[in-house]
Amino acid sequence: MEYDFTRAVGILVAIVVVGVVGLASADVMGADTVFTMVLPSMIAFAVVSFFLGMKHGEYRASH
């Protein structure tokens, strides 16, 4: 399966959405806490992980 940028970001967004909806609906913590603290940290981690994974893939493809 070929991953282009749009498909990869779509999968990443879907994972974040499932995690946030799961935490908000499971009464693990309040929805306001999930949306103000957990969601921004999940997005930041996803962006950093995506960037590092992309760079690692470029490195592996060139060597």
Side-chain angles (χ1 to χ4, degrees):
M1 178 179 203
E2 290 290 323
Y3 288 107
D4 57 352
F5 182 75
T6 311
R7 184 172 299 172
V9 170
I11 292 169
L12 195 61
V13 167
I15 291 170
V16 170
V17 167
V18 167
V20 168
V21 168
L23 281 174
S25 65
D27 274 341
V28 175
M29 56 186 78
D32 57 339
T33 304
V34 171
F35 292 119
T36 60
M37 297 176 71
V38 176
L39 179 60
S41 65
M42 285 179 78
I43 291 171
F45 180 76
V47 168
V48 170
S49 298
F50 186 81
F51 177 75
L52 290 176
M54 185 179 59
K55 288 300 176 185
H56 179 67
E58 289 176 359
Y59 172 77
R60 291 283 307 251
S62 67
H63 287 97

